[in-house]
Amino acid sequence: MKFVPVIIPLLFVAISSAHADSIIVKNAWARATAPGQEVGAVYLDIVSSSAAKLVKAESTAATSTEIHSMSMKGDVMEMRKIDSLELAAGKTVSLVPGGNHVMLIGLKKPLKEGDKIAVTLTVEKGPKVQEKVEVSAEVKSMMSGAMHHYHP
């Protein structure tokens, strides 16, 4: 009988951890901005345990937050809003400078090195099944990742 109170809390923790671990976000960061700059970006690595889609990003650091893609078309860099980003089961999807990223539009204040930005990601795991993931992105110097992962 002494084991029952111990087993039940451990079982609850195991179930909670499995659910919380279904979406893993690592290496979240943003580049510091210049005074007066109205846009910024957040970069990160995301892994879903099952096939899913990143469908939304939100942050109180800006008036609007969007998922963007960036690519080169000849000599022109093209950036556009995308409705969702596919997450293959168990595969790391990297949002990086020069590629997909979370765009912060209408910054409420400049992003300063050392600050943290709160971002909420919404991942769709099936029809009407969504999971929200709270992320804290560290603001790094303006030169961070300038050419990191950039593949024209």
Side-chain angles (χ1 to χ4, degrees):
M1 286 301 239
K2 289 183 180 181
F3 295 116
V4 173
V6 173
I7 292 172
I8 291 172
L10 289 176
L11 181 60
F12 178 73
V13 168
I15 292 170
S16 296
S17 294
H19 180 70
D21 290 343
S22 61
I23 304 291
I24 298 170
V25 176
K26 298 183 198 174
N27 308 318
W29 67 282
R31 188 176 293 128
T33 58
Q37 186 174 336
E38 295 184 7
V39 296
V42 174
Y43 310 103
L44 52 88
D45 295 326
I46 185 169
V47 180
S48 176
S49 60
S50 59
K53 291 191 279 190
L54 176 62
V55 295
K56 188 175 185 181
E58 301 169 276
S59 177
T60 57
T63 57
S64 178
T65 308
E66 299 175 348
I67 304 164
H68 274 211
S69 70
M70 185 179 286
S71 60
M72 291 298 291
K73 302 280 185 187
D75 291 339
V76 178
M77 185 174 289
E78 188 175 277
M79 184 169 43
R80 66 180 175 89
K81 177 184 176 187
I82 54 176
D83 293 328
S84 63
L85 184 61
E86 295 292 326
L87 305 173
K91 302 288 184 189
T92 299
V93 175
S94 296
L95 282 67
V96 298
N100 295 325
H101 57 278
V102 173
M103 192 76 184
L104 304 171
I105 303 165
L107 290 173
K108 295 180 180 175
K109 63 179 187 175
L111 303 180
K112 294 182 185 171
E113 186 175 354
D115 286 352
K116 302 271 187 192
I117 300 171
V119 179
T120 303
L121 303 176
T122 302
V123 176
E124 189 173 272
K125 301 191 111 194
K128 299 183 183 179
V129 178
Q130 293 187 339
E131 185 173 334
K132 291 194 182 282
V133 181
E134 301 296 325
V135 177
S136 178
E138 181 181 352
V139 179
K140 297 186 178 184
S141 79
M142 286 187 193
M143 297 309 293
S144 292
M147 295 303 287
H148 180 66
H149 292 261
Y150 178 69
H151 303 287

